[in-house]
Amino acid sequence: MSDKALYRDVNENPCHMCMPMGGILPIKGVEGGMVVIHGSQGCSTYMRRYISEHFSEPIDVGSSSLNEKGTVYGGEKNLKQALDNIRKVYNPKLIGVLTTCLAETIGEDINRMADEYLVERQISDLTIVPVSTPGYGGTQAEGYFLTVREIVARLAQPTPKHNKVNVIVPNISPADIREIKRLLDLMGVEYTLCPDFSDTLDRPYLEHYSKMAPGGTKLEDIKAMPGALATIELGATIGDEYSPGQFLLDKYGVPLYTVPIPIGIKNCDTFFRAIKEITGKALPDSVRTERGRLLDAMVDSHKYNFAGRSVIFGEAELVYAVSQLCIENGVYPAVVATGGAGGKLAELLHPMVKECPEPVKVLPESDFSEIREKSSSAGVNIAIGHSEGRYLTEHENIPLVRIGFPVHDRVGGQRILSVGYTGTTLLLDRITNTLLESKYRTYREDMYNLYYKEDSGGLSATKDEVNSDGLHCMS
Ligand code: SF4
């Protein structure tokens, strides 16, 4: 068996994290939000570690610590004990209870347990949001959106009409969330952005440490979401069953605008067009200037980017937006992959990839053995995705532009800015510079092999005789 075939059979490098891990992030993006993972200690430890490495923050996540006894007789006692402990230590306003493979397999009814707990303890100032997130039920992306939907469904109340716009964001970086808020503020738009972990998962250094990070979407604002002018959901690929915006539309009639993450000129324009349609507010001159600078950057770098052949992987929503950016800039994707089913990704990509000069392989439910194999055979020379793709560099020498979740082998995952016209410009520069770095690393050798090697049919010269411009050295 070949090395690659063996690698594929082992399948030890999935392209996604597990479902409850994705559910932790939105709960951390609600003011006073705390999490209990209903399952074994190992699950919560694994999740804490990944999230902590990405955000460089302490990630407090409770566990019901299910053991053999709880597995056989049920974990209700453990869960209620965990809720008691969390209340005592953190005094949260909201607790998200996320199930694991084990809890779901033994059939734990967390909705009943949560309701009973509040009655038994006579608590009225705490919201518990149970979410069914078995690890085998989906990826972190599905866990993320399902949890946002459950938070909204649990809190939203009939509310008189007001002037705010609901903005639902996917799993983007705290820097990206801050950028979206900056743009909305510049436009004078009133909004409720949910979930907002821009401060809670990227805390400034303060003299006094508080167990609960300040920030997050206010519970009062989430309760009032049914009265909003409309919902803008950055979730073009997600299925209706995971969509908080779809819930607000179905239950409260809030108009829903589903748009891609504003990465790439087309996606940014779509985002701002939706805002204008809802609020009547046009792009301010300062943002128009940022758009002009992005166009200028695209012109400046196209002479390098045309040589890019990319593999794009990660959460479907991000993959979709980055594919658009790459197609706009000539870094045509050869492979587009996601670890989960990908929702509407394949359907949305279909018309886009038709513009590409070479065939594009779209790989839902993929892993890194398949991504590696397909990237290698398609002659990919740049990878764009999260840190797990570092194997493409190690094994295939394909350089990696890090974006998405998790970025755990570099610092600054929480500060990677990629949205809006300015964020797109920065991301485009990262892509172009990665291609340039690769080109200059192998430039002389490539020129020698192409023009000077004896069996190439070109002039005969040694590698050292080729100067840095790739010209034959006459001296
Ligand atoms: S996949 Fe299942 S067992 Fe593994 S960490 Fe996730 S919830 Fe726990």
Side-chain angles (χ1 to χ4, degrees):
M1 189 183 286
S2 74
D3 178 35
K4 274 184 187 165
L6 179 66
Y7 191 73
R8 286 223 49 183
D9 283 354
V10 174
N11 189 12
E12 59 185 12
N13 289 312
C15 184
H16 64 276
M17 306 291 126
C18 79
M19 202 173 177
M21 190 187 297
I24 292 173
L25 304 176
I27 295 167
K28 293 284 177 186
V30 172
E31 189 184 43
M34 186 57 196
V35 187
V36 172
I37 299 291
H38 188 32
S40 70
Q41 285 259 2
C43 297
S44 50
T45 303
Y46 150 72
M47 293 171 209
R48 271 187 223 114
R49 185 203 145 224
Y50 262 89
I51 300 175
S52 181
E53 282 184 335
H54 176 87
F55 292 99
S56 300
E57 292 285 343
I59 302 295
D60 289 9
V61 170
S63 169
S64 59
S65 305
L66 275 185
N67 54 19
E68 292 85 345
K69 196 173 161 192
T71 306
V72 174
Y73 297 108
E76 186 164 349
K77 197 168 160 222
N78 289 52
L79 180 59
K80 289 179 177 173
Q81 178 74 57
L83 290 168
D84 280 342
N85 292 342
I86 290 291
R87 281 177 48 231
K88 201 163 139 195
V89 177
Y90 296 93
N91 191 25
K93 294 179 181 171
L94 178 144
I95 302 177
V97 176
L98 305 172
T99 55
T100 57
C101 297
L102 175 57
E104 290 288 339
T105 304
I106 62 173
E108 293 286 269
D109 184 354
I110 50 167
N111 281 296
R112 177 190 59 77
M113 291 176 199
D115 290 345
E116 272 183 19
Y117 177 82
L118 293 174
V119 174
E120 281 167 17
R121 305 293 197 268
Q122 298 181 334
I123 304 165
S124 57
D125 59 349
L126 172 71
T127 302
I128 300 181
V129 182
V131 193
S132 176
T133 52
Y136 49 75
T139 67
Q140 87 274 13
E142 280 129 12
Y144 178 99
F145 269 110
L146 185 62
T147 303
V148 184
R149 185 182 164 110
E150 294 299 320
I151 290 170
V152 172
R154 183 66 59 154
L155 288 170
Q157 294 171 0
T159 307
K161 284 283 170 209
H162 52 75
N163 281 333
K164 285 189 176 178
V165 178
N166 303 323
V167 181
I168 307 286
V169 296
N171 183 9
I172 50 179
S173 75
D176 285 335
I177 296 177
R178 286 194 289 271
E179 179 68 359
I180 288 171
K181 285 163 61 175
R182 179 185 76 87
L183 291 164
L184 293 170
D185 289 340
L186 269 174
M187 295 180 79
V189 175
E190 291 179 61
Y191 58 90
T192 296
L193 184 143
C194 180
D196 182 0
F197 46 85
S198 60
D199 290 326
T200 54
L201 292 180
D202 190 14
R203 300 168 74 168
Y205 174 80
L206 295 172
E207 206 172 324
H208 299 291
Y209 181 78
S210 58
K211 285 198 182 89
M212 297 291 284
T217 314
K218 292 186 188 318
L219 300 192
E220 293 310 311
D221 290 343
I222 302 175
K223 285 178 187 168
M225 280 178 138
L229 291 173
T231 302
I232 298 180
E233 186 164 271
L234 311 188
T237 63
I238 60 167
D240 292 351
E241 69 276 29
Y242 294 108
S243 163
Q246 190 66 45
F247 169 82
L248 288 166
L249 172 65
D250 292 344
K251 180 143 188 199
Y252 298 103
V254 185
L256 172 61
Y257 290 72
T258 302
V259 300
I261 300 173
I263 293 177
I265 196 118
K266 193 171 165 190
N267 292 340
C268 287
D269 289 351
T270 304
F271 176 71
F272 288 112
R273 233 187 350 261
I275 292 173
K276 186 170 182 205
E277 210 173 305
I278 297 164
T279 66
K281 294 184 191 282
L283 217 55
D285 286 346
S286 60
V287 182
R288 209 169 278 285
T289 304
E290 293 177 33
R291 186 180 190 278
R293 291 204 178 99
L294 169 57
L295 285 170
D296 192 45
M298 290 166 72
V299 173
D300 291 345
S301 55
H302 84 278
K303 57 183 177 283
Y304 309 116
N305 287 332
F306 81 95
R309 193 95 170 98
S310 54
V311 50
I312 303 161
F313 57 87
E315 296 187 14
E317 199 55 41
L318 185 65
V319 159
Y320 177 54
V322 173
S323 298
Q324 177 67 51
L325 168 77
C326 285
I327 291 170
E328 282 171 356
N329 288 279
V331 193
Y332 289 110
V335 180
V336 178
T338 185
K344 300 171 189 161
L345 178 67
E347 178 191 326
L348 289 168
L349 279 176
H350 186 65
M352 275 166 60
V353 299
K354 278 203 297 194
E355 293 173 35
C356 298
E358 304 272 339
V360 183
K361 291 184 181 72
V362 178
L363 310 175
E365 298 190 334
S366 191
D367 61 28
F368 276 104
S369 54
E370 187 183 26
I371 295 169
R372 175 186 166 188
E373 193 183 308
K374 297 284 189 288
S375 300
S376 170
S377 60
V380 159
N381 60 3
I382 185 164
I384 306 169
H386 54 76
S387 284
E388 301 300 327
R390 65 192 185 280
Y391 294 106
L392 296 168
T393 311
E394 287 169 18
H395 297 285
E396 301 293 340
N397 212 18
I398 301 170
L400 173 65
V401 176
R402 285 165 176 77
I403 185 174
F405 175 88
V407 173
H408 54 67
D409 62 340
R410 296 286 187 276
V411 295
Q414 73 277 44
R415 289 185 287 275
I416 297 176
L417 176 60
S418 315
V419 304
Y421 298 118
T422 298
T424 300
T425 309
L426 297 174
L427 174 57
L428 185 61
D429 283 350
R430 295 199 295 273
I431 291 170
T432 309
N433 287 332
T434 302
L435 285 168
L436 282 172
E437 192 181 337
S438 254
K439 175 184 166 182
Y440 286 116
R441 200 178 55 240
T442 59
Y443 191 62
R444 296 182 73 192
E445 192 168 347
D446 291 347
M447 292 299 282
Y448 169 74
N449 288 335
L450 196 60
Y451 297 114
Y452 292 93
K453 217 170 168 184
E454 277 188 29
D455 57 10
S456 75
L459 291 170
S460 176
T462 65
K463 214 183 290 185
D464 293 338
E465 288 175 317
V466 182
N467 69 15
S468 59
D469 291 320
L471 299 172
H472 189 255
C473 180
M474 303 301 286
S475 57

